[in-house]
Every structure is written in C-alpha cells, then in structure tokens.
Amino acid sequence: MVNSNAAPQLRIVTNQQELFREAANEFAAIARQSVADRGKFTVALSGGSTPRGMNALLAQDASLPWDRSYFFFGDERHAPPTDAESNYRMAAETLLSKIHARPENVFRIHTEEQNAEIAADSYEQTLRAFFRVQPGQFPRFDLILLGMGPDGHTASLFPGSKALAERNRWVVANWVEKFQTHRVTLTYPVLNQAACVMFVVSGQDKADALRDVLESQGDGPPAKYVRPVNGSLVWLVDQAAAGQLKNAGKNNA
Ligand code: 6PG
C-alpha cells in the first residue's frame, strides 16, 4: 500500500507479467482501503494496451468490493464505444464485463457524440454530479491509473497540445495533431487532485521518455507534470522501460 504523503515512488520490476501482478495488487489494496474508509472506491481507468494484462488479473479476483467500485476513464478516443480504438471497449472486454460491473457504476465518456467538445462538457457534468465538490474545487479520485506513450504523453495530454495549459476545466476535447483527431481527456488539475496516481509503464520504447520524466532537470514531457498535490505518485515500470534511468538504484523502493 502506498503511503499518501510519501515522495514519488519508483518501483522497477523484472518483466511485464510482474508489472501486471504488482499493478493488480496495488489496485486491489487501494480498492479495499477506500471502501473500508469511505464505503466506496472511485477509479479512473487508463487506455491503450498496457492495462489489458492488469485488468485480466483483476478480473479473476471476485473478492474485491466491485459493487462499491465506481469506474471512470482518464481519457477516450473520439470514437464510439464499439470501436476497436475505444478505451471503454478495452476496459469492458478485459475487466468490466468479467466482474459484472453494475452499469450504474460505470461512467464512460460518450465519444459517439460527433462534437468532441460536447462529449467533454457532458463528461464534466457527469463528474460534477457524482463528486459534488465546492465551486473551484476538483474531484478527488481514490486512484487514477495512467500509462505513458513513447513521446511522454499521458491520458490524452500530448506534447504541444492545448490541454496542457488547462487549469480550470475538468475535462476537455484536445486536438492531437499527430493523429489528426480530437481526444477527450481529464486535465492536470483533476489528475493532480487524486489520492493516488499510479503509472504502469512497460517496454523499451518508453525508456527515453521515462528518463526525461524522472531525471531531466528542466522541462520534460507531459507525464512529468502529473504530481498529486496531496496524494501519492507511483511509477510502476518494468526493467525494459527503466533501461535509460541513471539513478534507478537509488529510487527503486
Ligand atoms: C490512450 C491512453 C494513453 C496510453 C499511452 C500508453 O488512450 O492511449 O490513455 O495515454 O496510456 O498511450 O499506451 P500503451 O499502454 O498502449 O503503450
């Protein structure tokens, strides 16, 4: 279990299978503790392919408090939920359908909406209705899961994109030049309000970005700026992703 006021934790594991096991164990510990403390567990799932392995392990654990768990998404492609690109579809196939998550406990981003801005606004309203925070405050997820691309993007906060500067809205439609498409994404203020942010990163293609995030003195890629203001930050990475780190030995908890 991660200590909520500790410094960022870097955990390096040998391989991808160990990564998924560690990630599933951490997810489970936070879920159990959140339900024990507050009667519910709120988690924003991440997209892409890395979460598949962790989700598969979690899907086998019927002992988790799934009925008290509320599932959200850190970002979504601008595509319908049936699309192969959809982060919701990946989560539904690998986890939500397997644990028979209650439909009323799953809050997907409605990116079937042609206008991505409308989809983003609608999701922000969904979050506001659920979290009911005071004006000017941000929602505090128990856990936000994040991945990282080879360019150091996280969620759909891509290098050079407009959403990097957003400090007020919770959810925005972000134009991603390299894909020539919008994505819908949580913004830094929401990510950095989480009780725990856990990055799960695998593979040599992420090694340069991980070094830039964790060891560069100056500016770095978008993932560098995810730093919970009052919560824990865990970087769970495999040795392949950690291959360019110079200080790995010192950091490795
Ligand atoms: C997405 C994710 C994105 C992802 C990284 C890593 O919608 O793709 O939210 O931020 O986590 O691109 O993706 P992989 O796990 O597929 O390497």
Side-chain angles (χ1 to χ4, degrees), residues 46-51 75 77 87 147-149 153-156 183 206:
S46 64
S49 55
T50 304
D75 73 322
R77 286 79 181 282
N87 289 334
M148 185 183 69
H153 82 263
T154 189
S156 284
R183 295 265 187 103
K206 314 288 178 75

Side-chain angles (χ1 to χ4, degrees), residues 45-52 74-77 85-87 90 145-158 179 183-185 199-202 205-206:
L45 300 175
S46 64
S49 55
T50 304
R52 288 177 174 274
D75 73 322
E76 187 58 275
R77 286 79 181 282
E85 278 292 296
S86 165
N87 289 334
M90 183 275 287
L145 289 161
L146 291 173
M148 185 183 69
D151 60 359
H153 82 263
T154 189
S156 284
L157 299 169
F158 283 81
F179 297 143
R183 295 265 187 103
V184 175
T185 185
F199 281 90
V200 184
V201 182
S202 170
D205 64 330
K206 314 288 178 75

